[in-house]
């Protein structure tokens, strides 16, 4: 958690920190290829919740991913023989049970 918080402190205009009680949520404010390529760990800041008492990850959504051809790392992927589905944009919600409490977050 410490290194994640340090990066969020370094980039406050890009990474939002929200603390409620003993829980800290890190969330990037907008999807930015430059941010993700310069700081790959920022892909995890999609609503990841930490317990500030011990640094545990309480809730971790899917990391940021991109559509085929959307960014340089997805332009040269061989899909021959692969099974895949169309990704529809939308909202993401997650419910976690941790330390006797339900925690609900969204993106």
């Amino acid at each position: 958690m410490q290194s994640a918080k340090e990066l969020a402190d370094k980039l406050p205009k890009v990474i939002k920190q929200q603390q409620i009680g003993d829980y800290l949520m890190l969330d990037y404010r907008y999807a930015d290829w430059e941010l993700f390529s310069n700081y790959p760990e920022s892909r995890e800041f999609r609503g990841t919740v930490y317990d500030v008492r011990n640094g545990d990850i309480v809730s971790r959504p899917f990391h940021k991913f991109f559509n085929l051809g959307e960014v340089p790392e997805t332009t040269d992927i061989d899909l021959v023989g692969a099974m895949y589905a169309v990704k529809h944009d939308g909202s993401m919600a997650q419910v976690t049970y941790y330390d006797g409490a339900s925690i609900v977050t969204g993106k």
Side-chain angles (χ1 to χ4, degrees), residues 21-33:
D22 294 324
Y23 304 112
L24 172 68
M25 183 172 74
L26 299 180
D27 198 2
Y28 55 78
R29 296 179 188 274
Y30 52 88
D32 177 65
W33 174 245

Side-chain angles (χ1 to χ4, degrees), residues 2-68:
Q2 189 59 38
S3 63
K5 176 125 178 48
E6 287 171 5
L7 181 57
D9 288 342
K10 180 179 177 179
L11 303 169
K13 292 182 179 180
V14 182
I15 301 169
K16 179 173 90 173
Q17 299 181 57
Q18 181 178 359
Q19 185 167 341
I20 299 174
D22 294 324
Y23 304 112
L24 172 68
M25 183 172 74
L26 299 180
D27 198 2
Y28 55 78
R29 296 179 188 274
Y30 52 88
D32 177 65
W33 174 245
E34 188 173 324
L35 169 70
F36 298 139
S37 60
N38 290 333
Y39 304 99
E41 65 273 28
S42 67
R43 292 183 187 198
E44 306 302 325
F45 302 158
R46 201 173 184 201
T48 301
V49 178
Y50 297 90
D51 184 330
V52 297
R53 297 169 295 184
N54 55 27
D56 285 352
I57 294 176
V58 173
S59 179
R60 181 191 172 274
F62 294 117
H63 67 276
K64 173 65 179 162
F65 58 93
F66 299 93
N67 293 318
L68 185 64

